[in-house]
Amino acid sequence: MADLLAGRSWPDVATVARLAHFTNTTLWPDIGRLTLEEKTALLHGSRDPAPLGQAGYLPGVPRLGIPPLRLADGPAGVRVSRPATALPAPVMLASAFDPALAREYGRTLGREARALGQDVLLAPVANLIRTPYAGRNAEAFSEDPRLTADLVAEVVRGIQDEGAIAAVKHFAPGHQEHGRDTVDVIAAERTLHETELRGFEAAVTAGAGAVMAARHKVNGTRASESRPLLDELLRGHWGFDGWVVSAPDAAHSTVAALGAGLDMELPGGTHFGSPLREAVRAGTVPEDAVDLAVRRILSTMDRFGLLDAKRPPRPARDPGAGARTARRVATAGAVLLRNEHATLPLAGAAARSIAVIGPTAQVPFVSGGGSAHVVPDRAAAPLTAIRRRAGSGATVRHALGEDLYGRPLPADLLAPAADLDDRTVPAGRTWSHEGEFTLTEDDEWTLLVHYTGRRPSVRLDGDELFPVREGEAEAFAGGLLDSAPDGLSVRRRTLALTAGAHRLAVFAEGADTGGRFRLRHTTGATRAADVAEAVKAAKAARSVVLFAYEDAGEGSDRTSLGLPGGQARLIEAVAEANPRTAVVLNTPSATTMPWLSRTGAVLQMYHPGQEGAAATAAVLFGDTDPGGRLTQTFPADGKRTPVGGDPLRYPGVGGRQEHSEGVHAGHRWYDAHNAEPLFAFGHGLSYTSWEYRDLVVRPERGGLRAEFTVRNTGRRKGTEVAQVYVGPSAELGLDQPVRALAGYRRFALAPGEARRVAVDVDARALSAWDPERHAWVPGTGRRTVFAGRSSRDLPLSAETVVKAGAENR
């Protein structure tokens, strides 16, 4: 691939068109049967006459039998306004280290997309987890290029097995929400190939029908206008023959974008509608370039049977099958981070007296906001699942611990008095009230408005508490914190209020459809009472299961790696009252844990989907072994990460972000800098114990085969993920990772059972990208191969000599 900073003129359209010709020659001897208006209508989104809340719609060309095309977000389930299977977040799927399960996950996505009237699924996300602060880490798979590539490929195959088109995103690289439309990502050619591009290349090899361009700039040029990325690399080097679509509202030009290889603009036609037709008529865009983009779309539709006279029928939804897959994934991806003094599994007396604490024990945390938000068929509360599993002979009590949705304002707070806890405003009417209240001491208040319809105006001392947020921050609301249990939208504002008088004014409009609202609050006093109640419950129980949460998602990055709100104080207080406290984390990414040493156990359940309650209970009670392993390093603090402490790496300075860590992504950086993480990549405990021995490495199919024996030395059946890493080649003369993940194997063993495990290390795992040759080159010479349970727990090592080609030994 040429230098990614280089630019070129229009491609040789005729040559490329011959290579990517439209295959349905019986129906389409010539694309000239389409008018210019019809061609451009296929290149941009339009208004759906029967909308389902999806991300995009193309009207097709009815007179020529070209059907409409519907595109939906779908990294964790089909995001439409109708119920769909809410699968666990992709990061939880990845934690299973199981490509076959990823294929099943993809098939569920594809089958449901087709059943719900969708043709294209904007998924999977092939970007790496580069910084733990990124808001959308739950939608990604891993910080590791090899693991990400393996799983992305299988999800793509699964989606397309079912007849839906996978649009892998966001090409590339894209790791953060902060400045995501404007930041210029500066990354060297080798860095891109050895880290971020691996997942996209795997998706293309798997046959992905579409690719979504990233929003931002890459090496000075917008990704949607980058000829080096879209034309030279994606199509030229990798042979991609599908189409490239923009992220919603992320196309920024007509001539430059189409010339670079962008084929479709979503959601409307700001640049590829009338401006494109005008550019063709003015001669600034050759019509052959429009034809080429149309051919890419139609040929892909034809490949999936969407242009057939008898199109493949859409399947009926099978919610039961979707639920079974969701539970398998949530169970397989559960990661046990800590387990002291046999806190878990819950058994015997410890299982008969349990305090369940936390708001997300009672309100299930299914998925994040934005693209990952799914309306589930159903979702049980973890408290319900724990009570059911504990049985009628057990005592299971619940304490809130933290109030997410607020208490009603005291009836006598305002003067004059007003009931603000459940007001209905009819269509076409308004309602308002002004009152005053007095505080006797300084306090921290959180005021919350729950509403349907138009959001009420709430002013405190003249300040609007809940203004409409700009752009995506408003559009991507909808996760745990932004929706009340009964479905009302929620906004909150925390303020330090001083002693004295305060004036509150509320104004609500019924607009066309009417509305309903309630005003709630929490204070320092109510928060202290909630913690006290939790401590009391913990003291009275033999065991504690405390659910903690973080609601990160599309539209913004995290501001801290710690748990939000007062959860750290809650955990510390409860664990001090009862050291047999197991913390269940429903969080999207790495979390710092200043409270860790006080706890008995920590179970990472991410955003576990609609079956998260049942899966969590199964792991807590030991019905299944926690078989998940971390696919991202958990740092000891927010500054000791691959991008921490360097604003040029994250979030960027002056709109410029540099990938100066080079090939040392994720766990590779911790090894290169000898930095001690809180929990290492690949870490995950089991309810049994394991022994590794007798590593042998030999040449195999142009790569290596590592064989070793793993024995279950405990008293329970267990699930293990054996991992193989490879050290650098002294002969390459390039900066290389201290250790790179080269392969892995997931398996289960009975107590005392041993297995000879074989892990193949392919030629790519032994190679590096040479920016002088613009190609992968083998890392020959003496190499060290490691095997074990995580990137920092590798009891076995062996040396071997790698030779070029098939002569490795």
Side-chain angles (χ1 to χ4, degrees):
M1 182 185 70
D3 191 326
L4 288 179
L5 288 169
R8 284 173 49 186
S9 58
W10 283 96
D12 182 347
V13 176
T15 300
V16 181
R18 284 195 299 273
L19 295 174
H21 65 281
F22 181 43
T23 57
N24 197 337
T25 54
T26 303
L27 292 176
W28 289 95
D30 195 324
I31 207 164
R33 295 175 64 185
L34 292 165
T35 67
L36 180 59
E37 286 74 12
E38 288 170 336
K39 292 174 186 177
T40 57
L42 293 171
L43 303 186
H44 67 81
S46 189
R47 183 180 179 277
D48 190 343
L52 296 170
Q54 77 274 15
Y57 169 80
L58 270 70
V61 184
R63 74 177 182 88
L64 296 175
I66 300 175
L69 194 73
R70 289 180 169 89
L71 307 90
D73 286 316
V78 184
R79 187 192 180 210
V80 292
S81 54
R82 296 180 184 177
T85 299
L87 292 164
V91 70
M92 191 169 202
L93 165 67
S95 298
F97 279 73
D98 187 344
L101 187 61
R103 184 73 164 260
E104 181 182 344
Y105 187 99
R107 293 194 72 155
T108 298
L109 290 173
R111 185 168 57 252
E112 292 231 324
R114 294 275 298 144
L116 289 164
Q118 306 303 302
D119 307 293
V120 182
L121 207 56
L122 305 178
V125 174
N127 305 106
L128 297 185
I129 296 174
R130 178 173 177 257
T131 168
Y133 287 95
R136 299 177 75 176
N137 280 348
E139 297 179 46
F141 292 91
S142 171
E143 68 186 20
D144 185 83
R146 169 60 188 265
L147 180 61
T148 296
D150 290 348
L151 301 178
V152 163
E154 292 307 312
V155 172
V156 166
R157 291 186 178 104
I159 290 170
Q160 299 190 160
D161 284 346
E162 299 296 325
I165 300 170
V168 64
K169 60 185 185 182
H170 308 84
F171 187 65
H175 311 91
Q176 64 188 59
E177 294 300 280
H178 182 89
R180 70 176 189 169
D181 291 304
T182 57
V183 71
D184 188 4
V185 177
I186 307 301
E189 179 183 326
R190 181 174 178 231
T191 298
L192 287 173
H193 277 276
E194 293 205 25
T195 60
E196 184 72 10
L197 295 178
R198 291 285 300 278
F200 292 96
E201 182 183 8
V204 170
T205 301
V211 168
M212 177 181 281
R215 295 174 170 271
H216 50 258
K217 296 177 182 178
V218 180
N219 292 330
T221 304
R222 288 196 175 275
S224 59
E225 299 171 0
S226 173
R227 283 288 312 283
L229 278 175
L230 303 184
D231 182 50
E232 296 171 22
L233 174 63
L234 181 63
R235 292 192 170 100
H237 195 68
W238 292 346
F240 175 66
D241 60 1
W243 84 82
V244 178
V245 58
S246 77
D249 296 315
H252 295 273
S253 66
T254 300
V255 177
L258 190 71
L262 184 72
D263 302 304
M264 182 186 292
E265 176 189 8
L266 290 182
T270 303
H271 300 284
F272 280 18
S274 58
L276 178 54
R277 292 191 293 272
E278 292 168 7
V280 171
R281 290 169 182 142
T284 55
V285 172
E287 190 163 354
D288 280 351
V290 175
D291 292 350
L292 177 55
V294 171
R295 287 179 189 275
R296 288 168 177 155
I297 294 167
L298 291 180
S299 61
T300 305
M301 291 176 65
D302 186 54
R303 171 186 157 197
F304 285 83
L306 299 180
L307 299 181
D308 293 350
K310 293 184 178 180
R311 294 171 193 129
R314 294 188 183 274
R317 272 203 72 220
D318 188 346
R324 289 189 291 274
T325 297
R327 181 164 177 175
R328 273 195 292 273
V329 173
T331 303
V335 185
L336 184 61
L337 298 177
R338 172 181 170 87
N339 194 23
E340 298 297 313
H341 312 299
T343 298
L344 294 179
L346 299 172
R352 293 193 293 272
S353 173
I354 307 170
V356 180
I357 294 170
T360 48
Q362 203 169 40
V363 179
F365 196 159
V366 175
S367 60
S371 296
H373 183 65
V374 181
V375 179
D377 293 289
R378 58 181 176 82
L383 177 62
T384 302
I386 290 171
R387 281 179 170 154
R388 183 182 298 119
R389 177 58 183 81
S392 58
T395 300
V396 179
R397 299 182 178 89
H398 177 250
L400 191 62
E402 182 186 33
D403 189 345
L404 292 185
Y405 304 109
R407 293 161 164 77
L409 293 171
D412 59 352
L413 177 71
L414 286 177
D419 181 6
L420 298 176
D421 192 50
D422 196 355
R423 304 290 313 190
T424 298
V425 184
R429 303 289 295 275
T430 63
W431 185 91
S432 63
H433 180 80
E434 289 192 38
E436 189 174 88
F437 65 92
T438 301
L439 297 183
T440 58
E441 59 184 5
D442 296 351
D443 199 354
E444 183 180 82
W445 278 52
T446 297
L447 283 164
L448 306 94
V449 62
H450 303 200
Y451 65 97
T452 62
R454 184 172 296 176
R455 182 152 78 241
S457 169
V458 181
R459 292 183 173 274
L460 183 64
D461 298 329
D463 178 33
E464 175 60 57
L465 297 183
F466 311 111
V468 175
R469 296 180 285 198
E470 292 185 10
E472 295 158 349
E474 183 73 26
F476 293 133
L480 173 74
L481 297 180
D482 288 329
S483 299
D486 62 356
L488 271 67
S489 297
V490 177
R491 297 293 184 269
R492 68 198 69 229
R493 177 82 172 271
T494 299
L495 319 96
L497 298 185
T498 58
H502 298 273
R503 191 151 195 85
L504 185 71
V506 181
F507 176 77
E509 296 179 271
D512 294 334
T513 58
R516 175 178 161 221
F517 77 90
R518 53 185 174 242
L519 198 62
R520 297 280 177 99
H521 82 305
T522 62
T523 67
T526 67
R527 286 188 285 273
D530 288 339
V531 172
E533 179 194 17
V535 168
K536 181 180 178 181
K539 288 180 177 178
R542 178 66 185 268
S543 301
V544 176
V545 179
L546 191 157
F547 284 82
Y549 70 89
E550 184 178 7
D551 189 18
E554 187 171 3
S556 61
D557 284 344
R558 304 161 74 190
T559 58
S560 167
L561 300 188
L563 293 170
Q567 293 183 93
R569 294 190 298 272
L570 173 65
I571 294 172
E572 289 171 353
V574 167
E576 184 177 352
N578 189 332
R580 291 186 59 83
T581 294
V583 177
V584 178
L585 293 172
N586 290 134
T587 56
S589 190
T591 302
T592 52
M593 306 179 194
W595 38 264
L596 180 66
S597 62
R598 296 178 172 88
T599 64
V602 179
L603 177 64
Q604 178 69 47
M605 292 298 294
Y606 294 106
H607 295 172
Q610 67 180 54
E611 302 300 316
T616 300
V619 175
L620 290 173
F621 285 89
D623 300 335
T624 184
D625 200 41
R629 304 293 182 262
L630 289 182
T631 68
Q632 56 187 308
T633 306
F634 277 38
D637 64 71
K639 293 182 179 179
R640 286 293 272 174
T641 76
V643 299
D646 186 348
L648 262 176
R649 290 187 182 178
Y650 175 83
V653 176
R656 177 185 174 96
Q657 180 207 77
E658 297 183 359
H659 283 222
S660 55
E661 70 272 22
V663 300
H664 302 290
H667 59 93
R668 302 173 178 184
W669 180 89
Y670 288 86
D671 291 339
H673 292 265
N674 198 27
E676 191 65 29
L678 183 64
F679 295 111
F681 173 88
H683 170 75
L685 302 177
S686 170
Y687 288 150
T688 188
S689 53
W690 304 93
E691 177 188 67
Y692 281 63
R693 57 183 173 83
D694 302 332
L695 172 64
V696 174
V697 181
R698 66 172 188 269
E700 184 81 14
R701 300 174 187 170
L704 302 171
R705 170 163 286 190
E707 292 187 357
F708 48 93
T709 298
V710 179
R711 181 183 298 276
N712 180 346
T713 57
R715 299 180 179 180
R716 299 173 55 97
K717 180 180 179 180
T719 299
E720 179 63 324
V721 177
Q723 300 159 48
V724 171
Y725 297 78
V726 63
S729 162
E731 295 182 4
L732 266 178
L734 296 168
D735 185 28
Q736 300 164 71
V738 175
R739 284 178 294 275
L741 180 69
Y744 47 88
R745 186 78 66 236
R746 180 186 176 95
F747 51 88
L749 294 179
E753 183 182 1
R755 176 178 297 181
R756 193 69 180 161
V757 178
V759 176
D760 289 329
V761 179
D762 60 21
R764 175 64 65 87
L766 299 169
S767 302
W769 183 265
D770 187 335
E772 298 297 324
R773 302 183 193 178
H774 308 300
W776 292 95
V777 295
T780 54
R782 190 165 298 278
R783 308 287 294 267
T784 303
V785 177
F786 306 86
R789 305 196 66 242
S790 79
S791 66
R792 290 295 180 92
D793 183 2
L794 298 167
L796 304 182
S797 64
E799 288 195 344
T800 188
V801 175
V802 175
K803 291 189 175 181
E807 300 178 358
N808 299 337
R809 69 179 183 182

